[in-house]
Amino acid sequence: MDVNQAKQEHLLALKVMRLTKPTLFTNLPVTCEDRDLPGDLFAQLMREDPSTIKGAETLMLGEMLTLPQNFGNIFLGETFSSYISVHNDSNQVVKDILVKADLQTSSQRLNLSASNSAVAELKPECCIDDVIHHEVKEIGTHILVCAVSYTSQFGEKLYFRKFFKFQVLKPLDVKTKFYNAESDLSSVTDEVFLEAQIQNITTSPMFMEKVSLEPSMMYNVTELNSVASGDEGESTFGKMSYLQPMDTRQYLYCLKPKPEYAEKAGVIKGVTVIGKLDIVWKTNLGERGRLQTSQLQRMAPGYGDIRLSLEVIPDTVNLEEPFDIVCKITNCSERTMDLVMEMCNMRSIHWCGVSGRQLGKLTPGASLSLLLTVFSSEQGLQVRCKLPEATF
């Protein structure tokens, strides 16, 4: 929709056209059997039709391209391109022509003009052309404001504007879920899994060129969207990564704190920033779109004041034969702890050593490794072992 602000006749004419890639021409083939009344007439007409593919006339897609017949849809993440032309329709020479293009969104106004300098003069039947580009980063109503100012040969300063209103739609629906990894060695773990559900909510298929997770400075990320096949991994979605309209695809990532942060107790707690998803796709004839989510946040599991974890334990031990394990105690609080270790035997697990001994003081964020000895009095798989209690 365009609205002319000025009602007077101007010497210059402004035309604005959106630049999009063409589409493949489609036709509706009409066929019949040879014994029917038309006989070979329909087949002959399709063979003579220049828009059909020779030898495959019954296919709906042809070899020709169709130019856009309307403004079309604009989706978030795509690049909006427009051709602006100012033509001198009069028989006069106009001077000091300045063409300005602004894009008004719900939150800001952007200047898209390639040059803000005025053209000295424009002769009759001549034109000024410009192509503007803008990566759309907001949904909702957008207004392209094109303003033209010039001076007539009599020195009169003239000015007019045109407004082009369009809607930016949402192409993808992205949902995320976090899962804390379960561990047999301790009640909590620093690993976290991110599941991203991406749904195509447009009316045309998409080729998913890239879906990656850019982690924050505290994490390393491992993509779990491929399976080992020879030297290279093969995508779980196959070689042709197309996402049909209203289809949903799930991506999985594993994040693990970097060693320098994992060793510092209390750093990864509360609300932590995980990173952001980077999604790149292609649609009609290679038109590219890109979306980046905002920073994804997660509530880290609470460790309390003291974190006690099992670092080393053998897989198999002999009955009633002592073996060593390594426990790690970390001070997650903001004060110094004076620790005392108490050992509590279970029905099948027995500790070797002195219970109630002093472990000394542990400063905030510091860790202490303990070498302990234990033996089992029963055969079979021991599912659970009660770790020594550290009191303060």
Side-chain angles (χ1 to χ4, degrees), residues 4 8-16 85-95 97 121-129 148 150 153 158 160 162:
N4 242 337
Q8 66 182 91
E9 291 292 333
H10 283 277
L11 305 177
L12 304 181
L14 173 66
K15 295 182 179 180
V16 178
S85 177
V86 177
H87 187 266
N88 188 355
D89 290 344
S90 68
N91 55 4
Q92 305 177 20
V93 177
V94 296
K95 300 180 180 180
I97 306 98
E121 66 175 20
L122 186 64
K123 297 180 180 180
E125 301 302 325
C126 292
C127 61
I128 300 173
D129 299 323
V148 180
Y150 61 96
Q153 65 180 2
L158 300 172
F160 68 94
K162 279 190 175 182

Side-chain angles (χ1 to χ4, degrees), residues 214-228:
E214 297 180 359
S216 63
M217 60 182 296
M218 294 190 297
Y219 289 92
N220 291 321
V221 63
T222 302
E223 293 192 11
L224 305 177
N225 304 308
S226 60
V227 292

Side-chain angles (χ1 to χ4, degrees), residues 132-289:
I132 58 175
H133 303 280
H134 174 67
E135 184 179 349
V136 181
K137 299 181 179 180
E138 296 182 42
I139 60 174
T141 303
H142 287 57
I143 302 176
L144 180 63
V145 183
C146 298
V148 180
S149 61
Y150 61 96
T151 304
S152 67
Q153 65 180 2
F154 303 108
E156 182 182 5
K157 295 185 179 296
L158 300 172
Y159 172 83
F160 68 94
R161 290 189 303 176
K162 279 190 175 182
F163 301 88
F164 300 87
K165 183 178 179 181
F166 59 91
Q167 294 287 334
V168 174
L169 307 177
K170 185 179 176 182
L172 298 171
D173 186 23
V174 181
K175 297 179 181 178
T176 57
K177 295 181 181 179
F178 290 104
Y179 303 94
N180 295 324
E182 296 182 357
S183 174
D184 293 335
L185 299 181
S186 61
S187 59
V188 290
T189 179
D190 291 330
E191 285 188 354
V192 60
F193 290 90
L194 169 65
E195 176 191 350
Q197 298 181 358
I198 300 177
Q199 183 182 24
N200 177 9
I201 56 177
T202 68
T203 58
S204 59
M206 289 182 176
F207 174 75
M208 306 305 292
E209 183 175 306
K210 183 182 75 169
V211 179
S212 62
L213 177 64
E214 297 180 359
S216 63
M217 60 182 296
M218 294 190 297
Y219 289 92
N220 291 321
V221 63
T222 302
E223 293 192 11
L224 305 177
N225 304 308
S226 60
V227 292
S229 177
D231 296 335
E232 298 182 358
E234 182 178 346
S235 173
T236 55
F237 309 111
K239 295 181 179 180
M240 305 302 290
S241 185
Y242 283 100
L243 190 60
Q244 297 296 332
M246 304 312 295
D247 279 0
T248 301
R249 183 171 291 175
Q250 294 172 313
Y251 295 84
L252 187 63
Y253 304 90
C254 177
L255 296 111
K256 190 172 183 179
K258 294 181 179 179
E260 57 267 29
Y261 294 100
E263 294 297 328
K264 297 178 182 179
V267 173
I268 302 179
K269 66 178 183 179
V271 179
T272 58
V273 175
I274 297 295
K276 56 185 177 181
L277 287 171
D278 187 14
I279 307 171
V280 181
W281 71 90
K282 290 182 179 179
T283 54
N284 175 40
L285 291 182
E287 284 192 89
R288 196 171 187 177

Side-chain angles (χ1 to χ4, degrees), residues 313-327:
I313 184 172
D315 295 332
T316 305
V317 296
N318 295 325
L319 182 66
E320 297 182 352
E321 183 176 311
F323 60 92
D324 294 332
I325 64 173
V326 177
C327 293

Side-chain angles (χ1 to χ4, degrees), residues 13-27:
L14 173 66
K15 295 182 179 180
V16 178
M17 180 178 67
R18 182 192 174 194
L19 297 179
T20 58
K21 291 188 176 182
T23 57
L24 289 173
F25 180 81
T26 59
N27 51 40

